Amino acid sequence: MLLHYSKHIKKVIMIHIHPEILKRYATGDCSPEERELVEQWLDQEEAGVEEKAVDQGVFTGIDREGLKKNIWQDIKPAQSPKRSKSHISSPAYKMAACFILVFFAGYLSYRYHKQPQQEQPVTGRMTYRELAVPKGRKAKIMLSDGTVIQVNSDSRISYPLVFTSRQRVVYLSGEAYFTVAKDPSKPFIIHTANTETRVLGTVFNIKAYPEEQATTLTVEEGRVRFSLKSDTEKQLILTADQQGILGKENVPVMRKTDAARYTAWKDSELVLENLSLKDIIPLLNRWYGVKVTVRNREIGNERFTGTYREASLSSVANDISQALHCHYQINNNSLIFY
């Protein structure tokens, strides 16, 4: 099995933060998981990561950098331009940072709670937002209940601004890894085109791309109910390292598996285990955002195994071509095997 590392590929993850979580972080009342996500978000802001998701949530229309710079002008401690980073951790600096975060979170919270009132239907139903992740990108969001969702490339997820009903319901097209916050009084439900997944608090992965025939649920921790959407009596109860698959027969099937294989993508690890080239094509298409074409039909069913962490497209293509005794060519946003 191959394992390649590339320093030239920068992992880009878009992070969306609920403003109430920012407030809890600033006051020291957040959970360790919330703290980690906020700090990742702050690092993202500092690095200037560009968010291109269809919905940027409560941050739409807000000049975040301008807001922070204006506040900093009045409260940041005097610094020499050449002062080392070690001074940034001074108590005065931390107090200033917390002040900014509280102010910033308060402003976002105002915007956040103001927008639903404008968008809320007369029927009183919850307002949903949609996050669309393009090919070649990944995203991480934290919902209002503390649930963390890592969304794979070429995927969409719809979620409410705030969970107000007796159930926590989201909608997925594509692939996502869920770490569901425990709340026995409010089951968490994920709808895909053909399936319904119901949990109280657990960790699992769902793959439900519309162009693929099967929907696959892989459980890493906890207990999950996986059923046909149109007939919930056709269901499976799955636990750790078990997988539920719903194919064109519309009957869910269970099998034992190694969950880590199916969740490695969230850690930027591309796993190709005994896959035919025709099955590898859509994976490369989503992972790198390129069009993949096979001109030699004889190699379409040939199988390949390899594991890559943040590897370049050329590195993966070269290994495949050598293993399958073929050639490849990369032009702009296309990869051709021949």
Side-chain angles (χ1 to χ4, degrees):
M1 184 173 292
L2 306 174
L3 183 60
H4 293 266
Y5 295 84
S6 174
K7 297 181 180 179
H8 304 290
I9 302 298
K10 180 179 180 182
K11 181 172 69 172
V12 180
I13 296 181
M14 301 174 292
I15 301 175
H16 295 233
I17 299 290
H18 191 286
E20 295 298 329
I21 295 171
L22 281 178
K23 291 174 69 176
R24 291 200 293 272
Y25 177 87
T27 57
D29 296 326
C30 64
S31 67
E33 292 78 11
E34 291 173 337
R35 183 183 302 110
E36 179 183 0
L37 197 64
V38 171
E39 289 173 354
Q40 289 180 18
W41 177 76
L42 291 172
D43 290 341
Q44 169 182 291
E45 291 293 297
E46 187 176 339
V49 174
E50 182 180 5
E51 295 179 324
K52 292 185 178 179
V54 168
D55 176 23
Q56 297 184 26
V58 298
F59 304 126
T60 303
I62 298 176
D63 181 6
R64 288 176 283 188
E65 291 304 316
L67 178 62
K68 288 188 283 187
K69 287 179 180 177
N70 289 339
I71 303 172
W72 269 118
Q73 296 302 316
D74 296 327
I75 65 173
K76 72 176 180 179
Q79 297 185 62
S80 167
K82 296 183 180 180
R83 183 165 294 185
S84 66
K85 288 188 177 180
S86 61
H87 290 272
I88 294 179
S89 60
S90 66
Y93 197 97
K94 283 188 175 181
M95 290 178 63
C98 284
F99 179 85
I100 287 178
L101 201 55
V102 171
F103 184 93
F104 189 40
Y107 175 66
L108 288 178
S109 183
Y110 166 76
R111 288 292 300 270
Y112 187 93
H113 290 296
K114 183 179 179 181
Q115 288 179 357
Q117 293 175 3
Q118 296 172 341
E119 299 174 0
Q120 194 78 12
V122 177
T123 58
R125 291 177 295 179
M126 287 185 293
T127 300
Y128 274 72
R129 290 196 182 279
E130 181 181 81
L131 171 66
V133 183
K135 294 177 180 178
R137 300 285 296 272
K138 296 180 179 65
K140 178 188 285 188
I141 57 174
M142 179 177 280
L143 306 187
S144 60
D145 67 335
T147 291
V148 177
I149 307 175
Q150 292 174 252
V151 188
N152 207 349
S153 58
D154 196 23
S155 301
R156 294 174 179 269
I157 188 161
S158 298
Y159 58 95
L161 298 175
V162 180
F163 292 110
T164 57
S165 69
R166 296 179 180 178
Q167 297 179 335
R168 297 172 288 169
V169 181
V170 300
Y171 299 84
L172 172 68
S173 175
E175 184 170 17
Y177 177 85
F178 295 80
T179 304
V180 177
K182 293 183 179 180
D183 186 348
S185 65
K186 291 184 177 181
F188 195 98
I189 301 172
I190 304 99
H191 290 289
T192 69
N194 300 310
T195 66
E196 176 185 295
T197 301
R198 181 182 293 258
V199 301
L200 295 177
T202 185
V203 181
F204 56 95
N205 190 86
I206 297 179
K207 185 179 181 183
Y209 284 103
E211 64 272 19
E212 296 184 357
Q213 293 184 343
T215 299
T216 305
L217 182 142
T218 308
V219 181
E220 193 169 273
E221 296 178 13
R223 190 167 178 264
V224 180
R225 193 185 82 178
F226 181 62
S227 66
L228 186 65
K229 191 173 183 178
S230 58
D231 184 0
T232 55
E233 294 300 317
K234 295 180 180 179
Q235 62 175 270
L236 298 174
I237 303 299
L238 304 171
T239 56
D241 285 328
Q242 289 185 340
Q243 193 172 68
I245 302 171
L246 181 70
K248 56 185 178 181
E249 298 83 6
N250 281 337
V251 178
V253 178
M254 181 183 70
R255 71 178 184 184
K256 291 286 292 183
T257 190
D258 177 12
R261 284 177 46 204
Y262 296 88
T263 62
W265 64 265
K266 67 183 177 62
D267 299 316
S268 296
E269 190 169 301
L270 176 63
V271 178
L272 308 174
E273 185 164 335
N274 194 30
L275 295 179
S276 67
L277 183 56
K278 63 182 181 182
D279 290 331
I280 290 174
I281 288 175
L283 296 178
L284 298 181
N285 174 260
R286 297 186 197 113
W287 196 271
Y288 294 102
V290 297
K291 180 181 179 181
V292 184
T293 306
V294 179
R295 291 182 177 174
N296 183 352
R297 295 182 180 179
E298 295 180 359
I299 63 174
N301 292 320
E302 295 293 323
R303 295 186 172 274
F304 175 79
T305 294
T307 300
Y308 301 85
R309 186 184 296 276
E310 299 185 3
S312 65
L313 174 61
S314 60
S315 177
V316 178
N318 183 65
D319 288 343
I320 293 175
S321 67
Q322 290 188 23
L324 304 188
H325 305 290
C326 64
H327 301 280
Y328 76 95
Q329 183 177 355
I330 299 176
N331 293 316
N332 296 323
N333 293 321
S334 69
L335 167 63
I336 302 171
F337 289 102
Y338 61 96

